[in-house]
Amino acid sequence: IGGGPEANLSTTFTTPPAGVLALERDPDGDDRIVSRTIGGSDATPVFTAENIDDFRATSAYLVASIVDEETMRVIVVDRASGEQADAALPGPGTVLGLQVSERGQLYGFTFTDQDVSAESGRKNVLFTGSLAGAFDHAEPDPVVVGGEEPSIDRWRFVPETSSLLLNDFSGDLTLVDRTDPEGEVSSFGTALSIEGVARSTYTALIDRIEEGFVELDLATGEQQVVSTADLGGERLLGHMIPLADGGTLRSYALLEEGIPTTSDVVIVDPEGEAREVASTSDGEALQQVCASPSVQYIAVAVSPIAGNAYGGQVQTLPQEIETRIYDADTGDLVEAWPGFDISWCEVGPW
């Protein structure tokens, strides 16, 4: 209980510029992962190697798969100290599908033995491990489902949980708790692919065989069909990324006589209303789209179609790629940088 004159208190604060990491490949020299900020100065290299195939990053670590002569390595970098460590691999082979989880600072990848055959060897087996553990030579663990190590096509860390969402080559869609030694799973039927799991939610965007794209609640198993968007003309859906507010980030290619031409990148709200963010020009190919964690910015990776040779990495892309950053509200072009595979994305563009 009190009294006295009333007063209005106010304060102001400024958030730091949005930052992002990107991969720049160089056919004539070392590849590099660089750090950039919106409205900032030149790129700052944070990791270089002769052949970088892929990378992902958390707030504390960066993990990169590199091709070293005829073998692949996975290197973990402490972003604060710059210290590097080789992550233990199951053996010589191919590493794909590199991903990280902020919760627990984890990393994962699918692994195929170098000498795999129809009769023996591992093919696309999923391994996960601790990023900090790489500095103590801890080995990543294979993901076990029903006592076996399945071959995984698509997968995702489920944000803020210890679970993994898996889609194997038979189409089975399962949720696995990586801390459960028995490998108990929750089955969600079959799917063509996993498009993503929205940040700060327990909702996955799934491509079903019959229903098409659906939002799947991983806690209850309930799902609802994703609303369609009418952009006019004959369109082909390319990308669809879930957003935390229930909307989606999508790309649509305009078809002329059945042939894809230019592409439009749009944000579609939960009611199906579309807002255009960006578009490509004639002679450009859209490689990837993704949103910054706050969805303040949209990243669009494009490459020229003509005279743009593919690189020689395990996961190849055209040598010349540009990533354009757009304001998600206004659609204004904010930045245009060389490189791709930026750290805002859950996975690479392959």
Side-chain angles (χ1 to χ4, degrees):
I1 299 175
E6 294 182 353
N8 294 324
L9 301 179
S10 63
T11 186
T12 61
F13 65 92
T14 302
T15 59
V20 67
L21 301 177
L23 172 58
E24 296 180 359
R25 287 178 175 169
D26 185 347
D28 301 316
D30 286 347
D31 299 339
R32 64 179 195 165
I33 298 167
V34 300
S35 173
R36 294 182 181 272
T37 57
I38 303 297
S41 56
D42 294 338
T44 302
V46 296
F47 178 77
T48 60
E50 185 174 358
N51 295 299
I52 302 175
D53 191 61
D54 194 7
F55 87 97
R56 300 263 61 85
T58 68
S59 58
Y61 296 97
L62 178 150
V63 58
S65 57
I66 66 172
V67 181
D68 189 356
E69 294 182 351
E70 295 183 358
T71 63
M72 293 194 73
R73 298 164 56 201
V74 173
I75 297 178
V76 178
V77 181
D78 186 314
R79 297 182 64 178
S81 66
E83 183 182 359
Q84 300 180 13
D86 271 78
L89 295 181
T94 302
V95 172
L96 299 174
L98 195 63
Q99 295 181 45
V100 292
S101 172
E102 188 71 28
R103 177 184 173 90
Q105 299 293 308
L106 306 173
Y107 70 104
F109 55 84
T110 57
F111 180 81
T112 300
D113 283 318
Q114 193 171 56
D115 299 323
V116 68
S117 68
E119 292 76 26
S120 64
R122 291 162 292 202
K123 184 176 182 180
N124 286 86
V125 172
L126 178 59
F127 285 80
T128 65
S130 164
L131 289 163
F135 292 87
D136 298 322
H137 309 291
E139 296 185 0
D141 299 315
V143 172
V144 177
V145 178
E148 298 182 351
E149 300 174 3
S151 295
I152 300 301
D153 182 18
R154 303 288 182 92
W155 70 281
R156 291 290 191 278
F157 283 111
V158 179
E160 301 174 17
T161 75
S162 59
S163 297
L164 305 166
L165 186 62
L166 315 177
N167 192 199
D168 65 21
F169 283 94
S170 298
D172 293 333
L173 184 68
T174 53
L175 185 70
V176 179
D177 187 339
R178 68 179 299 276
T179 62
D180 186 347
E182 301 300 322
E184 293 296 326
V185 304
S186 298
S187 177
F188 294 104
T190 59
L192 293 173
S193 69
I194 303 169
E195 301 302 313
V197 182
R199 290 184 174 97
S200 304
T201 74
Y202 210 48
T203 302
L205 183 59
I206 304 298
D207 187 5
R208 296 284 197 190
I209 297 173
E210 296 182 358
E211 298 93 334
F213 290 99
V214 300
E215 291 178 340
L216 174 64
D217 188 321
L218 298 175
T220 65
E222 296 179 354
Q223 69 178 37
Q224 62 179 10
V225 176
V226 175
S227 58
T228 59
D230 184 10
L231 275 65
E234 187 180 1
R235 302 272 179 169
L236 177 66
L237 177 64
H239 304 84
M240 184 181 287
I241 311 297
L243 302 176
D245 63 358
T248 53
L249 175 65
R250 310 182 192 184
S251 71
Y252 289 91
L254 180 64
L255 300 180
E256 295 183 3
E257 297 181 354
I259 299 175
T261 56
T262 59
S263 294
D264 292 317
V265 178
V266 300
I267 293 176
V268 182
D269 67 21
E271 287 71 42
E273 293 295 323
R275 181 177 77 252
E276 183 174 328
V277 176
S279 61
T280 63
S281 302
D282 287 332
E284 291 181 336
L286 180 63
Q287 299 293 342
Q288 189 176 29
V289 299
C290 57
S292 65
S294 64
V295 200
Q296 182 179 3
Y297 301 106
I298 303 300
V300 180
V302 300
S303 62
I305 295 174
N308 195 3
Y310 274 70
Q313 305 290 12
V314 173
Q315 299 178 107
T316 60
L317 280 174
Q319 291 182 5
E320 184 181 344
I321 300 180
E322 180 180 75
T323 295
R324 300 167 185 168
I325 308 299
Y326 293 86
D327 185 295
D329 289 332
T330 65
D332 293 338
L333 177 64
V334 179
E335 301 277 7
W337 300 320
F340 67 102
D341 199 20
I342 68 172
S343 54
W344 291 342
C345 307
E346 289 181 307
V347 295
W350 303 277

